[in-house]
CSV table of all heavy atoms in Angstrom, one decimal:
chain,number,residue,atom,x,y,z
W,334,ALA,N,87.7,94.2,78.3
W,334,ALA,CA,87.5,93.4,77.2
W,334,ALA,C,86.4,92.3,77.6
W,334,ALA,O,86.5,91.7,78.6
W,334,ALA,CB,88.8,92.7,76.9
W,335,THR,N,85.5,92.1,76.7
W,335,THR,CA,84.4,91.2,76.9
W,335,THR,C,84.9,89.7,77.1
W,335,THR,O,85.6,89.2,76.3
W,335,THR,CB,83.4,91.2,75.7
W,335,THR,OG1,83.0,92.5,75.5
W,335,THR,CG2,82.2,90.3,76.0
W,336,GLY,N,84.5,89.2,78.3
W,336,GLY,CA,84.8,87.8,78.6
W,336,GLY,C,86.2,87.5,79.0
W,336,GLY,O,86.5,86.3,79.4
W,337,LEU,N,87.1,88.5,79.0
W,337,LEU,CA,88.4,88.2,79.4
W,337,LEU,C,88.7,88.8,80.8
W,337,LEU,O,88.1,89.8,81.2
W,337,LEU,CB,89.4,88.9,78.5
W,337,LEU,CG,89.4,88.4,77.0
W,337,LEU,CD1,90.4,89.2,76.2
W,337,LEU,CD2,89.6,87.0,76.9
W,338,ALA,N,89.5,88.1,81.6
W,338,ALA,CA,89.9,88.6,82.9
W,338,ALA,C,90.9,89.8,82.7
W,338,ALA,O,91.8,89.7,81.8
W,338,ALA,CB,90.6,87.5,83.7
W,339,ALA,N,90.8,90.8,83.5
W,339,ALA,CA,91.6,92.0,83.4
W,339,ALA,C,93.1,91.7,83.8
W,339,ALA,O,93.3,90.9,84.7
W,339,ALA,CB,91.1,93.1,84.2
W,340,VAL,N,94.0,92.3,83.0
W,340,VAL,CA,95.4,92.1,83.4
W,340,VAL,C,95.8,93.4,84.1
W,340,VAL,O,95.6,94.5,83.6
W,340,VAL,CB,96.2,91.9,82.1
W,340,VAL,CG1,97.7,92.0,82.4
W,340,VAL,CG2,95.9,90.6,81.4
W,341,GLN,N,96.5,93.2,85.2
W,341,GLN,CA,97.0,94.3,86.0
W,341,GLN,C,98.3,94.8,85.4
W,341,GLN,O,99.2,94.0,85.3
W,341,GLN,CB,97.2,93.9,87.5
W,341,GLN,CG,97.6,95.0,88.4
W,341,GLN,CD,96.5,96.1,88.6
W,341,GLN,OE1,95.4,95.8,88.5
W,341,GLN,NE2,97.0,97.3,88.7
W,342,PRO,N,98.3,96.1,85.0
W,342,PRO,CA,99.6,96.5,84.4
W,342,PRO,C,100.7,96.5,85.5
W,342,PRO,O,100.5,96.7,86.6
W,342,PRO,CB,99.3,98.0,84.1
W,342,PRO,CG,97.8,98.1,84.0
W,342,PRO,CD,97.3,97.1,85.0
W,343,PRO,N,101.9,96.1,85.0
W,343,PRO,CA,103.1,96.1,86.0
W,343,PRO,C,103.3,97.5,86.6
W,343,PRO,O,102.9,98.5,86.0
W,343,PRO,CB,104.2,95.7,85.1
W,343,PRO,CG,103.6,95.0,83.9
W,343,PRO,CD,102.3,95.7,83.7
W,344,ALA,N,103.9,97.5,87.7
W,344,ALA,CA,104.2,98.7,88.4
W,344,ALA,C,105.2,99.5,87.5
W,344,ALA,O,106.0,99.0,86.8
W,344,ALA,CB,104.9,98.5,89.7
W,345,PRO,N,105.0,100.8,87.4
W,345,PRO,CA,105.9,101.6,86.6
W,345,PRO,C,107.3,101.6,87.0
W,345,PRO,O,107.6,101.3,88.2
W,345,PRO,CB,105.3,103.1,86.7
W,345,PRO,CG,104.6,103.0,88.0
W,345,PRO,CD,104.0,101.7,88.2
W,346,PRO,N,108.3,101.8,86.2
W,346,PRO,CA,109.7,101.7,86.6
W,346,PRO,C,110.0,102.9,87.5
W,346,PRO,O,109.3,103.9,87.6
W,346,PRO,CB,110.4,101.9,85.2
W,346,PRO,CG,109.5,102.6,84.3
W,346,PRO,CD,108.1,102.1,84.7
W,347,THR,N,111.0,102.7,88.3
W,347,THR,CA,111.4,103.7,89.3
W,347,THR,C,111.9,104.9,88.7
W,347,THR,O,112.8,104.9,87.8
W,347,THR,CB,112.4,103.1,90.3
W,347,THR,OG1,111.9,101.9,90.9
W,347,THR,CG2,112.8,104.1,91.3
W,348,ASP,N,111.4,106.1,89.0
W,348,ASP,CA,111.9,107.3,88.6
W,348,ASP,C,112.9,107.8,89.7
W,348,ASP,O,112.5,108.2,90.8
W,348,ASP,CB,110.8,108.4,88.5
W,348,ASP,CG,110.1,108.3,87.1
W,348,ASP,OD1,110.7,107.8,86.2
W,348,ASP,OD2,108.9,108.7,87.0
W,349,HIS,N,114.2,107.8,89.3
W,349,HIS,CA,115.2,108.1,90.3
W,349,HIS,C,115.3,109.6,90.5
W,349,HIS,O,116.2,110.3,89.9
W,349,HIS,CB,116.5,107.5,89.9
W,349,HIS,CG,116.5,106.0,89.9
W,349,HIS,ND1,116.6,105.3,91.1
W,349,HIS,CD2,116.4,105.1,88.9
W,349,HIS,CE1,116.6,104.0,90.8
W,349,HIS,NE2,116.5,103.9,89.5
W,350,ALA,N,114.4,110.2,91.2
W,350,ALA,CA,114.4,111.6,91.5
W,350,ALA,C,115.3,111.9,92.7
W,350,ALA,O,115.4,111.1,93.6
W,350,ALA,CB,113.0,112.1,91.7
W,351,GLY,N,115.9,113.1,92.7
W,351,GLY,CA,116.6,113.5,93.9
W,351,GLY,C,118.0,112.8,94.0
W,351,GLY,O,118.5,112.6,95.1
W,352,LEU,N,118.6,112.5,92.9
W,352,LEU,CA,119.9,111.8,92.9
W,352,LEU,C,121.0,112.7,93.7
W,352,LEU,O,122.0,112.2,94.2
W,352,LEU,CB,120.4,111.5,91.5
W,352,LEU,CG,119.7,110.3,90.9
W,352,LEU,CD1,120.2,110.2,89.4
W,352,LEU,CD2,119.9,109.0,91.6
W,353,ARG,N,120.8,114.0,93.7
W,353,ARG,CA,121.7,114.9,94.4
W,353,ARG,C,121.7,114.6,95.9
W,353,ARG,O,122.8,114.7,96.5
W,353,ARG,CB,121.3,116.3,94.2
W,353,ARG,CG,122.2,117.4,94.8
W,353,ARG,CD,121.7,118.8,94.6
W,353,ARG,NE,121.7,119.1,93.1
W,353,ARG,CZ,121.3,120.3,92.7
W,353,ARG,NH1,120.9,121.2,93.5
W,353,ARG,NH2,121.4,120.5,91.4
W,354,ASN,N,120.6,114.1,96.4
W,354,ASN,CA,120.6,113.8,97.8
W,354,ASN,C,121.4,112.5,98.1
W,354,ASN,O,121.9,112.4,99.2
W,354,ASN,CB,119.1,113.5,98.3
W,354,ASN,CG,118.2,114.8,98.1
W,354,ASN,OD1,117.5,114.9,97.2
W,354,ASN,ND2,118.4,115.7,99.1
W,355,VAL,N,121.5,111.6,97.2
W,355,VAL,CA,122.4,110.5,97.3
W,355,VAL,C,123.8,110.9,97.4
W,355,VAL,O,124.6,110.4,98.3
W,355,VAL,CB,122.2,109.5,96.2
W,355,VAL,CG1,123.2,108.3,96.3
W,355,VAL,CG2,120.8,108.9,96.1
W,356,ALA,N,124.2,111.9,96.6
W,356,ALA,CA,125.6,112.4,96.7
W,356,ALA,C,125.8,113.1,98.0
W,356,ALA,O,126.9,112.9,98.6
W,356,ALA,CB,125.8,113.4,95.5
W,357,TYR,N,124.8,113.8,98.5
W,357,TYR,CA,125.0,114.5,99.8
W,357,TYR,C,125.1,113.4,100.9
W,357,TYR,O,125.9,113.6,101.8
W,357,TYR,CB,123.7,115.3,100.1
W,357,TYR,CG,123.6,116.6,99.2
W,357,TYR,CD1,122.4,117.2,99.0
W,357,TYR,CD2,124.7,117.1,98.6
W,357,TYR,CE1,122.3,118.3,98.3
W,357,TYR,CE2,124.6,118.3,97.8
W,357,TYR,CZ,123.4,118.9,97.7
W,357,TYR,OH,123.3,120.0,96.9
W,358,ALA,N,124.4,112.3,100.8
W,358,ALA,CA,124.5,111.3,101.8
W,358,ALA,C,125.9,110.7,101.9
W,358,ALA,O,126.5,110.6,103.0
W,358,ALA,CB,123.5,110.2,101.5
W,359,PHE,N,126.5,110.4,100.7
W,359,PHE,CA,127.8,109.9,100.7
W,359,PHE,C,128.9,110.9,101.2
W,359,PHE,O,129.8,110.6,101.9
W,359,PHE,CB,128.2,109.4,99.3
W,359,PHE,CG,127.7,108.1,99.0
W,359,PHE,CD1,126.6,107.9,98.2
W,359,PHE,CD2,128.3,106.9,99.5
W,359,PHE,CE1,126.1,106.6,97.9
W,359,PHE,CE2,127.8,105.7,99.2
W,359,PHE,CZ,126.7,105.5,98.4
W,360,GLN,N,128.6,112.2,100.9
W,360,GLN,CA,129.5,113.2,101.4
W,360,GLN,C,129.5,113.3,102.9
W,360,GLN,O,130.6,113.3,103.6
W,360,GLN,CB,129.1,114.6,100.9
W,360,GLN,CG,129.4,114.8,99.4
W,360,GLN,CD,129.0,116.2,98.9
W,360,GLN,OE1,128.4,117.0,99.7
W,360,GLN,NE2,129.3,116.5,97.7
W,361,TRP,N,128.3,113.2,103.5
W,361,TRP,CA,128.3,113.2,105.0
W,361,TRP,C,129.0,112.0,105.6
W,361,TRP,O,129.7,112.1,106.6
W,361,TRP,CB,126.8,113.2,105.5
W,361,TRP,CG,126.1,114.5,105.4
W,361,TRP,CD1,125.1,114.9,104.6
W,361,TRP,CD2,126.5,115.7,106.2
W,361,TRP,NE1,124.8,116.2,104.9
W,361,TRP,CE2,125.6,116.7,105.8
W,361,TRP,CE3,127.5,115.9,107.1
W,361,TRP,CZ2,125.7,118.0,106.4
W,361,TRP,CZ3,127.5,117.2,107.7
W,361,TRP,CH2,126.6,118.2,107.3
W,362,TRP,N,128.8,110.8,105.0
W,362,TRP,CA,129.5,109.6,105.5
W,362,TRP,C,131.0,109.7,105.3
W,362,TRP,O,131.7,109.2,106.2
W,362,TRP,CB,128.9,108.4,104.8
W,362,TRP,CG,127.5,108.1,105.1
W,362,TRP,CD1,126.8,108.5,106.2
W,362,TRP,CD2,126.5,107.5,104.3
W,362,TRP,NE1,125.5,108.1,106.2
W,362,TRP,CE2,125.3,107.5,105.0
W,362,TRP,CE3,126.5,106.9,103.1
W,362,TRP,CZ2,124.1,106.9,104.5
W,362,TRP,CZ3,125.3,106.3,102.6
W,362,TRP,CH2,124.2,106.3,103.3
W,363,ILE,N,131.5,110.3,104.2
W,363,ILE,CA,132.9,110.5,104.0
W,363,ILE,C,133.4,111.4,105.1
W,363,ILE,O,134.5,111.2,105.7
W,363,ILE,CB,133.2,111.0,102.6
W,363,ILE,CG1,132.9,109.9,101.6
W,363,ILE,CG2,134.6,111.5,102.5
W,363,ILE,CD1,132.9,110.4,100.2
W,364,PHE,N,132.7,112.5,105.4
W,364,PHE,CA,133.1,113.4,106.4
W,364,PHE,C,133.2,112.7,107.8
W,364,PHE,O,134.1,113.0,108.6
W,364,PHE,CB,132.2,114.6,106.5
W,364,PHE,CG,132.2,115.5,105.3
W,364,PHE,CD1,131.1,116.3,105.0
W,364,PHE,CD2,133.3,115.6,104.5
W,364,PHE,CE1,131.1,117.1,103.9
W,364,PHE,CE2,133.3,116.4,103.4
W,364,PHE,CZ,132.2,117.2,103.1
W,365,ALA,N,132.3,111.9,108.1
W,365,ALA,CA,132.3,111.1,109.3
W,365,ALA,C,133.5,110.2,109.4
W,365,ALA,O,134.2,110.2,110.5
W,365,ALA,CB,131.0,110.3,109.5
W,366,ALA,N,133.8,109.5,108.4
W,366,ALA,CA,135.0,108.7,108.4
W,366,ALA,C,136.3,109.5,108.5
W,366,ALA,O,137.2,109.1,109.2
W,366,ALA,CB,135.0,107.8,107.1
W,367,PHE,N,136.3,110.6,107.8
W,367,PHE,CA,137.5,111.5,107.9
W,367,PHE,C,137.7,112.0,109.3
W,367,PHE,O,138.8,112.2,109.8
W,367,PHE,CB,137.3,112.7,106.9
W,367,PHE,CG,138.5,113.6,106.9
W,367,PHE,CD1,139.6,113.2,106.2
W,367,PHE,CD2,138.4,114.9,107.5
W,367,PHE,CE1,140.7,114.1,106.2
W,367,PHE,CE2,139.5,115.7,107.4
W,367,PHE,CZ,140.6,115.4,106.8
W,368,THR,N,136.6,112.3,110.0
W,368,THR,CA,136.7,112.8,111.4
W,368,THR,C,137.4,111.8,112.3
W,368,THR,O,138.3,112.1,113.1
W,368,THR,CB,135.3,113.2,112.0
W,368,THR,OG1,134.7,114.2,111.2
W,368,THR,CG2,135.4,113.7,113.4
W,369,LEU,N,137.0,110.5,112.2
W,369,LEU,CA,137.6,109.5,113.0
W,369,LEU,C,139.0,109.2,112.5
W,369,LEU,O,139.9,108.9,113.4
W,369,LEU,CB,136.8,108.2,112.9
W,369,LEU,CG,135.3,108.3,113.4
W,369,LEU,CD1,134.6,107.0,113.2
W,369,LEU,CD2,135.4,108.7,114.9
W,370,TRP,N,139.3,109.3,111.2
W,370,TRP,CA,140.7,109.1,110.7
W,370,TRP,C,141.6,110.2,111.3
W,370,TRP,O,142.7,109.9,111.6
W,370,TRP,CB,140.7,109.1,109.2
W,370,TRP,CG,142.0,109.0,108.6
W,370,TRP,CD1,142.7,107.8,108.4
W,370,TRP,CD2,142.9,110.0,108.2
W,370,TRP,NE1,143.9,108.1,107.8
W,370,TRP,CE2,144.1,109.4,107.7
W,370,TRP,CE3,142.8,111.4,108.2
W,370,TRP,CZ2,145.1,110.2,107.2
W,370,TRP,CZ3,143.8,112.2,107.6
W,370,TRP,CH2,145.0,111.5,107.2
W,371,MET,N,141.1,111.4,111.3
W,371,MET,CA,141.9,112.5,111.8
W,371,MET,C,142.3,112.3,113.3
W,371,MET,O,143.4,112.6,113.7
W,371,MET,CB,141.2,113.9,111.6
W,371,MET,CG,141.3,114.4,110.2
W,371,MET,SD,143.0,114.8,109.7
W,371,MET,CE,143.4,116.0,110.9
W,372,TRP,N,141.3,111.9,114.1
W,372,TRP,CA,141.6,111.6,115.5
W,372,TRP,C,142.7,110.5,115.6
W,372,TRP,O,143.6,110.7,116.4
W,372,TRP,CB,140.3,111.1,116.2
W,372,TRP,CG,140.6,110.7,117.6
W,372,TRP,CD1,140.6,111.5,118.7
W,372,TRP,CD2,140.9,109.4,118.1
W,372,TRP,NE1,140.9,110.8,119.8
W,372,TRP,CE2,141.1,109.5,119.5
W,372,TRP,CE3,141.0,108.2,117.5
W,372,TRP,CZ2,141.4,108.4,120.3
W,372,TRP,CZ3,141.3,107.1,118.3
W,372,TRP,CH2,141.5,107.2,119.6
W,373,ALA,N,142.6,109.5,114.8
W,373,ALA,CA,143.6,108.4,114.9
W,373,ALA,C,144.9,108.9,114.5
W,373,ALA,O,146.0,108.6,115.1
W,373,ALA,CB,143.1,107.2,114.0
């Protein structure tokens, strides 16, 4: 735009791809806790 300073567009919103991997992460951590619980 003539005579105006450019405005930097805000960063795009986060695309939460791979949510299945988050579920896998929690599964592994639950298994870890279950292993220690079983020993106790």
Side-chain angles (χ1 to χ4, degrees):
T335 305
L337 300 179
V340 172
Q341 183 66 31
T347 301
D348 277 336
H349 294 284
L352 286 175
R353 183 180 298 180
N354 297 100
V355 176
Y357 291 157
F359 278 103
Q360 286 180 358
W361 281 116
W362 294 333
I363 291 171
F364 292 156
F367 181 75
T368 300
L369 297 177
W370 178 85
M371 280 298 299
W372 175 87

